[in-house]
């Protein structure tokens, strides 16, 4: 996942890249989990090494309207994962 691209293009530099689902300092977060460096060729090689040279499909469920540009960030993640052979059908959960 190219976190820098998400922060700059989706969030207009109003976010911070993280290496985990929770922002640093929140309950359940760890200061030891740093963001992975974006490496598309390396990700493709890892997929091949894991036995998925053609990839596999999954469904990504995201919030829509709960957080700032969450739907757009989810769509960006889906597009990035498709680049390594993980085509996602994504759907946004409705805000309750």
């Amino acid at each position: 996942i190219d976190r820098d691209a998400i922060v700059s293009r989706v969030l207009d530099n109003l976010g911070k890249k993280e290496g985990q689902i929770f922002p640093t300092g929140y309950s359940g977060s760890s200061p030891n989990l740093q963001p992975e460096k974006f490496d598309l060729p390396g990700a493709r090689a890892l997929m091949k090494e894991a036995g998925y040279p053609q990839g596999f499909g999954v469904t990504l469920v995201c919030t829509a309207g709960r957080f700032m540009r969450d739907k757009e960030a989810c769509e960006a993640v889906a597009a990035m994962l498709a680049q390594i052979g993980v085509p996602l059908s994504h759907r946004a959960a409705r805000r309750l």
Side-chain angles (χ1 to χ4, degrees), residues 5-24:
I6 291 173
V7 170
S8 66
R9 296 181 194 148
V10 176
L11 303 176
D12 294 326
N13 291 313
L14 296 174
K16 178 184 169 197
K17 63 182 180 177
E18 292 284 349
Q20 56 198 315
I21 194 166
F22 299 111
T24 301

Side-chain angles (χ1 to χ4, degrees), residues 7-86:
V7 170
S8 66
R9 296 181 194 148
V10 176
L11 303 176
D12 294 326
N13 291 313
L14 296 174
K16 178 184 169 197
K17 63 182 180 177
E18 292 284 349
Q20 56 198 315
I21 194 166
F22 299 111
T24 301
Y26 272 50
S27 178
S29 68
S30 171
N32 300 323
L33 296 173
Q34 298 301 311
E36 295 285 335
K37 183 178 178 183
F38 178 66
D39 179 9
L40 185 57
R44 288 181 177 145
L46 285 173
M47 289 289 288
K48 186 175 181 181
E49 181 182 321
Y52 297 102
Q54 303 305 314
F56 55 87
V58 297
T59 299
L60 181 63
V61 179
C62 303
T63 58
R66 182 174 178 135
F67 304 102
M68 182 180 80
R69 299 194 183 143
D70 52 359
K71 180 178 176 240
E72 294 82 358
C74 183
E75 291 169 347
V77 168
M80 291 173 193
L81 290 174
Q83 293 180 36
I84 63 166
V86 182

